[in-house]
């Protein structure tokens, strides 16, 4: 009798251990499968930016609020208020700071703030009254973008206020301050640049939003403003919707024709 009881107990214990092992195995398999699915979702295939992709990634009128009109002449835009030679005498470190500020003015005038893109690029522009919004998408090298963002982030300190002398000898005062941007892309830098001085004998002030956003080894550059000021809401729209479009292109998807109301 005692032997029978002991045998029954042994069988029950073995069954219990067996049930526990099966459950652990099932749980482990489910966890592994779930982790694999998460990994696949978090790591989409990224395709290098092409010329056609850069064009597709450009924002449209539908991405901007208000009454912006898309134009074909943006590649030839140049604002002469941005032309001037930075006065190095006003800086503590002289030539170094002056060179950084000169690069800013020249980059805004030439519309290549991050330098000439070594990869595919595209640009478009919009007007609303006296304001202009220029939007660019381009592929760069990782090292080039690292250097450009280091330079951009330092500008509100190194070039917070300086003077530039125009070709006619007149002096323009330039101010650079930080501007907030939506939390989009891998890293971003927003600036507001103000240039005040005479133009044709009349005092004018040019105010521009500058937004640069990095997405991988590609970058979006937005300049927006004019002598009537800068519409910061439009700058934010261009950044948030533009990053969504660029990400879609990089991941092989076609961007939505209109931005989602939930963006």
């Amino acid at each position: 009798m005692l032997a029978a009881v002991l045998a029954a107990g042994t069988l029950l214990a073995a069954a219990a251990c067996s049930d526990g092992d099966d459950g652990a195995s099932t749980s482990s398999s489910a966890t592994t499968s779930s982790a694999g699915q998460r990994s696949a979702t978090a790591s989409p295939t990224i395709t290098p930016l092409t010329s056609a992709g850069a064009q597709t990634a450009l924002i449209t009128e539908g991405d901007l609020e208000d009454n912006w009109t898309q134009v074909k002449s943006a590649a030839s835009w140049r604002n002469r208020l941005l032309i001037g030679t930075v006065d190095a005498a006003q800086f503590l470190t002289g030539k170094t700071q002056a060179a950084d500020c000169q690069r800013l003015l020249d980059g805004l005038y030439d519309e290549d703030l991050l330098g000439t893109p070594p990869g595919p690029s595209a640009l478009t522009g919009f007007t609303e009254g006296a304001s202009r919004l220029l939007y660019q998408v381009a592929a760069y090298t990782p090292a080039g973008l690292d250097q450009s963002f280091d330079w951009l982030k330092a500008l509100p300190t190194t070039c917070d206020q300086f003077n530039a002398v125009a070709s006619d000898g007149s002096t323009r005062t330039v101010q650079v301050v930080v501007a907030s941007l939506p939390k989009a892309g891998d890293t971003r830098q927003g600036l507001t640049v103000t240039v005040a001085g005479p133009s044709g004998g009349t005092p004018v002030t040019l105010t521009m939003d500058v937004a640069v956003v990095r997405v991988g080894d590609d970058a979006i550059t937005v300049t927006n403003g004019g002598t009537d000021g800068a519409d910061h809401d439009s700058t934010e729209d261009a950044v948030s919707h533009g990053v969504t479009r660029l990400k879609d292109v990089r991941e092989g998807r076609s961007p939505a024709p209109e931005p989602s109301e939930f963006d």
Side-chain angles (χ1 to χ4, degrees):
M1 182 68 177
L2 179 59
V5 171
L6 290 173
T10 300
L11 290 173
L12 289 173
C17 291
S18 176
D19 287 345
D21 289 342
D22 287 345
S25 177
T26 302
S27 175
S28 177
S29 298
T31 300
T32 301
S33 176
S34 176
Q37 291 175 354
R38 287 197 301 270
S39 177
T41 301
S43 303
T45 300
I46 303 299
T47 59
L49 191 67
T50 63
S51 295
Q55 286 288 339
T56 303
L58 293 173
I59 60 172
T60 67
E61 290 177 2
D63 294 302
L64 301 172
E65 295 182 1
D66 301 324
N67 299 310
W68 291 95
T69 301
Q70 194 164 10
V71 298
K72 296 181 179 179
S73 59
S76 63
W77 282 351
R78 296 290 187 274
N79 193 315
R80 296 190 61 81
L81 282 172
L82 296 166
I83 300 176
T85 302
V86 174
D87 181 5
Q90 63 193 297
F91 294 109
L92 292 176
T93 59
K95 292 182 179 180
T96 301
Q97 284 181 275
D100 285 335
C101 302
Q102 190 70 59
R103 177 182 172 185
L104 171 64
L105 289 183
D106 294 345
L108 290 174
Y109 178 77
D110 293 330
E111 296 161 357
D112 60 353
L113 197 60
L114 300 181
T116 302
S121 64
L123 65 82
T124 188
F126 306 83
T127 60
E128 183 182 41
S131 295
R132 291 176 170 179
L133 189 152
L134 184 75
Y135 186 91
Q136 299 172 293
V137 176
Y140 298 88
T141 63
L145 282 180
D146 289 343
Q147 293 173 359
S148 292
F149 271 91
D150 287 344
W151 167 69
L152 286 167
K153 291 179 184 298
L155 285 177
T157 300
T158 57
C159 301
D160 57 338
Q161 181 167 317
F162 62 93
N163 293 332
V165 181
S167 58
D168 62 0
S170 62
T171 299
R172 292 167 183 157
T173 301
V174 184
Q175 291 183 315
V176 182
V177 298
V178 174
S180 62
L181 293 177
K183 292 184 177 179
D186 300 327
T187 187
R188 66 211 65 83
Q189 182 61 53
L191 305 169
T192 298
V193 179
T194 304
V195 183
S199 177
T202 303
V204 295
T205 299
L206 169 68
T207 303
M208 301 178 67
D209 272 352
V210 179
V212 183
V213 184
R214 180 174 185 169
V215 181
D217 294 337
D218 305 324
I220 292 168
T221 304
V222 182
T223 56
N224 168 32
T227 54
D228 290 337
D231 178 3
H232 195 60
D233 288 343
S234 294
T235 304
E236 292 187 342
D237 285 341
V239 167
S240 58
H241 297 153
V243 167
T244 298
R245 293 182 67 89
L246 180 54
K247 284 184 175 180
D248 283 343
V249 168
R250 284 167 52 86
E251 295 172 11
R253 298 189 299 269
S254 296
E258 296 290 338
S260 167
E261 62 180 307
F262 300 109
D263 284 350

